[in-house]
Amino acid sequence: MGPVSAPTVYDVAERSGVSIATVSRVYRNPDSVRAQTREKVMEAARELGYVPSGSARGLASRTTGVLGLCFPDYADPDAESAAAASDADDDQAVMLYSDQIIRGMERAARRHGYALLIAASLDGGPESLVAKVAGRVDGFAVLARTVPTADLEVISRRLPVVMLAGPREIDHLDHIVVANTEGERELTRHLIEDHGLRRLAFVGAEEESPDAQARFRGFQEACRDAGLPVPSRPEVRAGMMTQAEGALAADALLDRSEGTGVERPEAMLFANDQMAVGALQALERRGVRVPEDIAVTGFDGIPLSRLVRPPLTTVRQPIRRLGEQAVELLVQRLADPGRAPVSLELPVSVTRRASCGCG
Amino acid sequence: MGPVSAPTVYDVAERSGVSIATVSRVYRNPDSVRAQTREKVMEAARELGYVPSGSARGLASRTTGVLGLCFPDYADPDAESAAAASDADDDQAVMLYSDQIIRGMERAARRHGYALLIAASLDGGPESLVAKVAGRVDGFAVLARTVPTADLEVISRRLPVVMLAGPREIDHLDHIVVANTEGERELTRHLIEDHGLRRLAFVGAEEESPDAQARFRGFQEACRDAGLPVPSRPEVRAGMMTQAEGALAADALLDRSEGTGVERPEAMLFANDQMAVGALQALERRGVRVPEDIAVTGFDGIPLSRLVRPPLTTVRQPIRRLGEQAVELLVQRLADPGRAPVSLELPVSVTRRASCGCG
DNA sequence: GGTGCTTTTGTACGCACATATAAGCCGTGT
DNA sequence: ACACGGCTTATATGTGCGTACAAAAGCACC
């Protein structure tokens, strides 16, 4: 039958003829209760269908055993049928990214005995989802730009918060980024030095994406180091870092050179893999060969990047590690709330595949 | 500053000169408090860094606003460096599956104002992760075979539980499955009738996988319907439904026919996409062409299936939908605890691509 | 049977908030 | 002057469990 009014410690205590303290001990520290008593209690609990109330425990013990994650979900949660039915490509970028963080955090959390509470951020009144999460966890991670800084300011005074993959908006928070700039610089250097390419076009994204910005900086640095002209802004800016936008960007770049006398770029460097994959498709449609006619690169190292034809040269980003590290930082800070704020930069690595002309 | 001792309603009430009840109202039902009073309270809260305690709220209101998910994680959580560094392929099968459920549940949960608490199941004493989750949520979903039936029996008497993708172990629970048998039967029929294939080899998995079993039943039925010999067991059984195991299975099948005089099968039907993808790689390595020399099919319809060469004919399974439906069932049952147990079977659809000889 | 310990169990209070109920305020109508 | 009604806020109690401290029960030994 369905759930009935929930039994409490008192019910179990009464049924097994002990006090509530003993019932509590059986669950929190079984060894502190004589085996015989423990059995009595556990049997009564089984018979009654007793499950300890997490809320009551949390209240009494002042800890929840749960860590949280707030991430953005660009997809409209109401557009379910369309998205689910077609597994819309446009979703994949964000999805893969946050999914991997979730998985990384879940694993690391489990190692430390925590469960994971996740919520895509949503703007709202004083009762935003963020506040809800914040009240139910011992600490949590926030993907950049998902929670208003003002809210974070308040919340971070009450519990540990670690900021992921973005600018450090609040300087007393722990903070993790990946080496976007270094990675793109190294990738660009590879194209220039090892493949002798000169006319490079960087495809960025909306200005607000700090990742895309940092990667563009790396691109600039490599150009400068090589003595090439240093563009002050990306050649093209996509709106959403999706496959569709990547295809559009590639088309735009080619159109630009076909009509006019401008020479076609020798390489397109995309701010992420999704766009690069879309570009590969667009190029194939136009009969432009990769890498013979033009080199293409991405950034992130998502699984797709290895499976497309040609396999995509990219910069592998340890996304899952990002989630794991977030948990580690949270756990460490819970153990030592007083320590100085930590800022980590996770290393990335250039993955050379066929799309740039490598093996 | 690190987190300090958390301010409570009392602190906010005192600072803003109202009672704690008013503070509570401001958060739970802002409109029930005069705007002027509300502002006073909110400002005090901001100054103090007040965040309502989810535990206390849960206790007092007897609801948490959180739904849960228990799923299996076959990966060893301690093997972090190896797995994270290489993004091991072997992980992907499970990962994609549970990740999609997580995403589906998260979206649907958010639509209904819930957050999602996730935990990979872990055996343990009376304090297993499952119990922890159960105590902190208003209801939760369980992937088949992740929680001992005995535990579920107890927990389901206290709160709604919906069982996903597996046998209905407890008959008073809500339950969702996908049409595994029908899907594989239809797929097999397609190979037999439309491509004229006769020597079919089904690659299953460890016996305990109910999904693989159900799919094999569909395979059997199609063979029977077509008047072909009906195998009583899969041609090969993989251990883990991973790419690596799929490759091994493909090799095993080919080796078997090469050495001996046994004719090579005309088609390999894998119990899931991951194995099929691994098989494609193995076949390519051996110089066996797909679909000219042999047809290959999968099951699940993961994004990869469309990207591999050749694109994989498979059965699309609405995994994300599974998660969404789980939430819907939970929400409905929370609204009406008395209603009869629901059992859903989600439809699947055969996706014909090049790997079977289509298009 | 009593003594000095150790182990096991019980009592009582606190955790932070929700909410039912009561009280207060203010303007209106009698 | 007083009762009334609608709106706002305060008081008091309940929520289920953890735990310090106290009490009791074992237990070994004299």
Side-chain angles (χ1 to χ4, degrees):
Chain A
M1 304 301 115
V4 273
S5 73
T8 73
V9 271
Y10 295 95
D11 302 317
V12 177
E14 185 176 354
R15 184 173 187 111
S16 52
V18 301
S19 76
I20 65 163
T22 299
V23 176
S24 177
R25 284 191 204 99
V26 166
Y27 281 84
R28 290 201 48 75
N29 189 0
D31 292 337
S32 72
V33 170
R34 198 173 16 156
Q36 177 187 339
T37 311
R38 192 193 321 152
E39 262 316 313
K40 268 194 324 196
V41 171
M42 298 215 313
E43 183 178 337
R46 232 174 288 129
E47 291 168 0
L48 290 173
Y50 169 71
V51 177
S53 153
S55 293
R57 291 183 136 182
L59 225 208
S61 67
R62 299 126 157 304
T63 101
T64 65
V66 178
L67 297 179
L69 170 66
C70 292
F71 61 97
D73 188 358
Y74 301 130
D76 178 359
D78 291 318
E80 63 171 315
S81 50
S86 69
D87 258 8
D89 290 336
D90 290 353
D91 247 21
Q92 302 283 39
V94 170
M95 176 165 180
L96 293 171
Y97 193 85
S98 56
D99 284 349
Q100 287 189 55
I101 292 187
I102 289 171
R103 174 52 60 98
M105 284 193 72
E106 197 281 326
R107 288 230 180 117
R110 182 149 37 97
R111 274 205 303 278
H112 291 284
Y114 288 95
L116 184 66
L117 181 64
I118 65 177
S121 72
L122 199 61
D123 286 342
E127 278 294 76
S128 70
L129 254 193
V130 179
K132 191 147 118 186
V133 171
R136 313 198 80 79
V137 300
D138 291 340
F140 68 111
V142 183
L143 239 41
R145 298 185 302 150
T146 67
V147 176
T149 304
D151 290 0
L152 270 190
E153 195 77 68
V154 172
I155 295 172
S156 64
R157 287 166 57 188
R158 190 190 204 279
L159 44 73
V161 175
V162 50
M163 192 102 179
L164 302 184
R168 175 181 219 150
E169 295 174 10
I170 303 179
D171 58 7
H172 63 266
L173 296 188
D174 291 336
H175 180 224
I176 312 181
V177 293
V178 298
N180 283 310
T181 301
E182 292 74 2
E184 189 75 27
R185 184 176 59 214
E186 175 61 18
L187 173 63
T188 309
R189 192 201 58 70
H190 168 64
L191 295 180
I192 297 173
E193 294 188 9
D194 301 337
H195 292 296
L197 306 180
R198 310 255 117 199
R199 295 194 305 284
L200 311 178
F202 185 91
V203 179
E206 54 179 7
E207 306 229 18
E208 299 81 33
S209 166
D211 282 339
Q213 284 179 26
R215 291 165 196 174
F216 180 62
R217 279 199 301 278
F219 174 74
Q220 290 176 308
E221 292 177 13
C223 290
R224 188 199 56 209
D225 293 349
L228 295 181
V230 179
S232 62
R233 55 187 60 259
E235 203 63 25
V236 183
R237 265 193 228 280
M240 291 187 44
M241 299 179 76
T242 62
Q243 284 186 29
E245 296 273 348
L248 290 178
D251 280 329
L253 273 174
L254 294 186
D255 290 343
R256 191 178 299 178
S257 62
E258 272 175 14
T260 71
V262 183
E263 276 186 298
R264 185 158 78 185
E266 296 168 321
M268 295 185 190
L269 297 86
F270 289 85
N272 79 348
D273 284 348
Q274 286 293 310
M275 292 196 293
V277 169
L280 288 180
Q281 294 168 349
L283 293 173
E284 186 174 5
R285 278 197 296 272
R286 298 175 71 120
V288 176
R289 294 168 305 166
V290 177
E292 292 82 354
D293 300 332
I294 191 167
V296 171
T297 67
F299 202 113
D300 279 351
I302 62 178
L304 267 86
S305 66
R306 190 180 35 196
L307 297 160
V308 290
R309 296 294 136 182
L312 190 63
T313 290
T314 184
V315 180
R316 164 179 290 286
Q317 199 182 157
I319 309 182
R320 197 187 303 171
R321 180 68 61 87
L322 196 62
E324 294 177 348
Q325 281 294 341
V327 169
E328 297 301 333
L329 286 188
L330 287 174
V331 168
Q332 289 169 19
R333 183 154 301 282
L334 284 169
D336 175 12
R339 76 172 191 169
V342 174
S343 191
L344 292 182
E345 183 176 76
L346 301 185
V348 299
S349 61
V350 175
T351 301
R352 302 175 185 183
R353 302 207 185 96
S355 76
C356 71
C358 281
Chain B
M1 317 277 118
V4 273
S5 73
T8 73
V9 271
Y10 295 96
D11 302 317
V12 177
E14 184 177 353
R15 184 173 188 111
S16 53
V18 301
S19 77
I20 64 164
T22 299
V23 176
S24 178
R25 280 189 213 100
V26 166
Y27 281 86
R28 290 202 49 76
N29 189 0
D31 292 337
S32 72
V33 171
R34 194 168 24 147
Q36 178 187 337
T37 311
R38 191 194 321 152
E39 261 316 312
K40 269 194 324 197
V41 171
M42 298 214 315
E43 182 178 338
R46 231 173 290 127
E47 292 168 0
L48 290 172
Y50 169 71
V51 176
S53 153
S55 293
R57 290 184 139 181
L59 223 209
S61 68
R62 299 119 157 304
T63 101
T64 66
V66 177
L67 296 180
L69 169 66
C70 291
F71 60 98
D73 188 359
Y74 301 130
D76 178 359
D78 291 319
E80 62 170 318
S81 50
S86 68
D87 258 8
D89 291 336
D90 291 352
D91 252 19
Q92 301 284 38
V94 170
M95 175 162 179
L96 293 172
Y97 192 85
S98 55
D99 284 349
Q100 287 190 57
I101 291 187
I102 289 171
R103 175 52 61 98
M105 285 193 71
E106 197 281 326
R107 288 229 181 121
R110 182 150 37 97
R111 274 204 303 276
H112 290 284
Y114 287 95
L116 221 214
L117 181 63
I118 64 177
S121 71
L122 199 62
D123 287 341
E127 279 292 75
S128 71
L129 253 193
V130 179
K132 189 148 117 185
V133 170
R136 303 196 145 302
V137 299
D138 291 340
F140 68 113
V142 183
L143 239 40
R145 297 185 303 148
T146 67
V147 177
T149 304
D151 289 0
L152 270 190
E153 195 78 67
V154 172
I155 294 172
S156 65
R157 288 165 57 187
R158 190 190 203 279
L159 43 74
V161 175
V162 49
M163 193 99 180
L164 302 183
R168 176 180 217 149
E169 295 173 10
I170 303 179
D171 58 7
H172 63 266
L173 295 189
D174 291 335
H175 180 223
I176 312 180
V177 293
V178 297
N180 283 309
T181 302
E182 292 74 3
E184 188 77 26
R185 184 175 58 214
E186 175 61 17
L187 173 64
T188 308
R189 195 201 57 69
H190 168 64
L191 294 180
I192 296 174
E193 295 186 8
D194 302 336
H195 292 295
L197 305 180
R198 311 255 114 197
R199 294 194 307 284
L200 310 178
F202 184 92
V203 179
E206 54 179 8
E207 307 228 17
E208 299 82 33
S209 166
D211 283 339
Q213 285 179 26
R215 291 165 196 175
F216 180 62
R217 278 199 302 279
F219 173 75
Q220 289 176 308
E221 291 176 13
C223 290
R224 189 200 55 209
D225 294 348
L228 295 179
V230 178
S232 63
R233 54 187 60 259
E235 202 62 25
V236 183
R237 264 194 227 282
M240 291 186 45
M241 299 179 77
T242 61
Q243 285 187 28
E245 296 272 349
L248 289 178
D251 280 329
L253 274 173
L254 295 185
D255 289 344
R256 193 178 296 178
S257 61
E258 274 177 13
T260 70
V262 183
E263 277 185 297
R264 184 158 76 185
E266 295 168 322
M268 295 184 190
L269 298 86
F270 289 85
N272 80 346
D273 283 349
Q274 285 293 312
M275 291 197 292
V277 168
L280 288 180
Q281 294 169 348
L283 293 172
E284 186 175 6
R285 275 197 298 272
R286 297 175 73 120
V288 177
R289 293 167 305 165
V290 176
E292 293 82 354
D293 299 332
I294 192 166
V296 172
T297 68
F299 202 113
D300 280 350
I302 62 178
L304 265 87
S305 65
R306 190 180 37 194
L307 297 160
V308 290
R309 296 295 137 177
L312 190 63
T313 289
T314 184
V315 179
R316 164 179 288 285
Q317 199 183 158
I319 309 183
R320 199 188 302 173
R321 180 69 60 86
L322 196 63
E324 293 177 350
Q325 280 294 342
V327 169
E328 297 301 333
L329 286 189
L330 288 174
V331 169
Q332 290 169 19
R333 181 154 301 283
L334 284 169
D336 174 13
R339 76 173 191 168
V342 174
S343 191
L344 293 182
E345 183 177 77
L346 301 185
V348 299
S349 61
V350 175
T351 301
R352 302 174 184 182
R353 301 207 185 96
S355 76
C356 71
C358 282

